């Protein structure tokens, strides 16, 4: 009973305009659900649309490549603190040999994995890296490889109650006190029918064997949010607008002139109009006929400003400088381009974090375990 009264009282006395339901905000009723519920409902479609845009939209592809390049650069590399030169050189050689074998799929190296992780993080807001221990007989320099798993490999719709106080929430298994103990991955990508069998099967992987690269911006958030989320609508509609404008220009250019006649029984011209007109040609018209040159409406002076302002909004949503997003250097000079890059590069490098949950010994490190450690990807 007090709730409606307090709302009416707040509307009467004023206060925060953002909390009123006046004429300007009457239709503004955002969802009050937690981010986990919103991601469960919209996450798969949002990620699929982000991937579609990257495959088909040049601005989206450029933004993804720029962010990954500025996040990873030449790669995150360790620096040994061993003082003995011989041991330090041996360790460095061992590291270099392992980086070539690090990828469990065998298609790239350790630094290529970093770029792939950065791309996946930007696309879907998260990425999983599974630590795959190998047998000594596999012939690897170090019996360990890394397997990069996209967001779709962990079923966001899997939520169930297990015994002993355990529960699976959005594919992640928690124990009775809320610690991550396992991840339930698909054995095969749900959208890849090229791999026979294994459809719908899942495998339980202990949490100590999984790095969850995610940036949880809200308290209690379990899964990542695509960096494209605030820009998907504008990018898609801008792409449609560009296509319509291009098609309009093409159609307008096809019709050079129109011939009107007062004779209702006049036969149509044979062939296409382009076959009847040649450059510099003088055309003699029959009595009663008139010729009008096509003069289609132009987009005028509003096209460039509209594109510019829309792309500015997209660049702000993605956190990518306008010049990097559009590759438009006309509006850039050395000072503003450098300022934008100096702001962009640290933000990109700090954007990805690995949420790594390991088993802890009973040695007083429970606080670190409960808070969750963070490591660079």
């Amino acid at each position: 009973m007090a709730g409606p009264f307090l709302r009416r009282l707040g509307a009467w006395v004023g206060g925060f305009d953002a909390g009123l339901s006046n004429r300007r905000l009457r239709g503004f009723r955002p969802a009050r659900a937690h981010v986990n519920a919103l991601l469960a409902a919209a996450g798969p479609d949002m990620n699929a649309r982000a991937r579609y845009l990257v495959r088909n939209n040049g601005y989206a592809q450029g933004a993804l490549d720029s962010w990954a390049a500025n996040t990873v650069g030449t790669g995150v590399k360790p620096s040994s603190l061993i003082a003995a030169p011989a041991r330090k050189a041996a360790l460095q050689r061992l590291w270099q040999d392992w980086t070539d074998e690090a990828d469990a799929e065998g298609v790239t190296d350790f630094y290529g994995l970093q770029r792939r992780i950065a791309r996946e993080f930007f696309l879907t807001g998260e990425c999983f890296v599974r630590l795959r221990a190998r047998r000594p007989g596999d012939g690897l320099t170090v019996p360990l490889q890394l397997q990069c798993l996209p967001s779709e490999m962990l079923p966001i719709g899997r939520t169930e109650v297990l015994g002993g106080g355990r529960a699976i929430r959005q594919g992640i298994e928690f124990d009775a006190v809320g610690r991550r103990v396992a991840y339930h991955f698909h054995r095969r990508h749900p959208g890849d029918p090229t791999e026979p069998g294994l459809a719908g099967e899942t495998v339980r992987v202990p949490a100590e064997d999984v790095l969850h690269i995610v940036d949880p911006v809200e308290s209690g958030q379990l899964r990542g949010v695509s960096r494209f989320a605030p820009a998907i609508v504008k990018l898609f509609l801008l792409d449609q607008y560009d296509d319509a404008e291009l098609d309009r220009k093409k159609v307008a250019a096809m019709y050079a002139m129109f011939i009107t006649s007062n004779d209702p029984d006049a036969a149509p011209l044979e062939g296409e109009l382009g076959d009847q007109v040649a450059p510099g040609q003088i055309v003699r018209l029959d009595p009663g006929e008139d010729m009008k040159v096509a003069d289609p409406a132009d987009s005028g002076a509003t096209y460039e400003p509209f594109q510019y302002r829309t792309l500015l909004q997209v660049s702000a949503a993605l956190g990518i400088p306008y010049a990097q997003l559009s590759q438009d250097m006309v509006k850039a000079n050395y000072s503003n381009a450098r300022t934008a890059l100096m702001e962009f590069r640290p933000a990109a490098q700090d954007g990805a974090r690995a949420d790594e949950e390991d088993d802890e010994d009973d040695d007083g490190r429970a606080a670190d375990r409960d808070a969750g450690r963070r490591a660079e990807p």
Side-chain angles (χ1 to χ4, degrees), residues 150-167:
S151 175
E152 291 83 357
M153 291 295 287
L154 191 69
I156 196 171
R158 181 168 183 182
T159 298
E160 58 184 275
V161 177
L162 305 176
R166 296 177 300 121

Side-chain angles (χ1 to χ4, degrees), residues 255-324:
Y255 295 94
M257 61 187 64
F258 302 92
I259 296 177
T260 60
S261 174
N262 294 328
D263 184 3
D265 298 327
L269 295 174
E270 295 182 2
E272 296 183 359
L273 187 60
D275 298 333
Q276 310 297 321
V277 180
Q281 179 179 356
I282 299 176
V283 181
R284 187 182 299 277
L285 301 179
D286 293 333
E289 290 184 340
D290 184 21
M291 182 179 70
K292 295 182 179 179
V293 178
D295 186 18
D298 195 5
S299 55
T302 61
Y303 179 77
E304 284 289 340
F306 173 76
Q307 285 269 359
Y308 175 64
R309 286 297 169 185
T310 303
L311 288 176
L312 276 182
Q313 296 179 56
V314 171
S315 68
L318 296 177
I320 307 290
Y322 169 80
Q324 305 297 115

Side-chain angles (χ1 to χ4, degrees), residues 57-69 122 228 235 314 318 320 324-325 344:
N57 184 281
Y59 294 127
Q61 176 66 56
L64 180 62
D65 288 342
S66 177
W67 197 89
F122 193 82
F228 279 98
L235 275 173
V314 171
L318 296 177
I320 307 290
Q324 305 297 115
L325 173 71
F344 168 54

Side-chain angles (χ1 to χ4, degrees), residues 197-263:
L198 307 179
E201 296 184 21
T202 59
V203 59
R204 183 182 183 274
V205 181
E208 60 265 24
D209 293 337
V210 177
L211 301 179
H212 187 185
I213 315 298
V214 66
D215 185 18
V217 296
E218 295 190 31
S219 178
Q221 180 179 335
L222 300 179
R223 303 293 297 270
V225 179
S226 171
R227 296 293 293 268
F228 279 98
I232 285 177
V233 175
K234 288 190 179 297
L235 275 173
F236 182 66
L237 294 181
L238 181 62
D239 202 21
Q240 286 187 318
Y241 168 69
D242 267 344
D243 285 345
E245 185 67 22
L246 182 62
D247 201 47
R248 186 186 70 82
K249 288 282 191 182
K250 182 184 72 172
V251 172
M254 286 181 177
Y255 295 94
M257 61 187 64
F258 302 92
I259 296 177
T260 60
S261 174
N262 294 328
D263 184 3

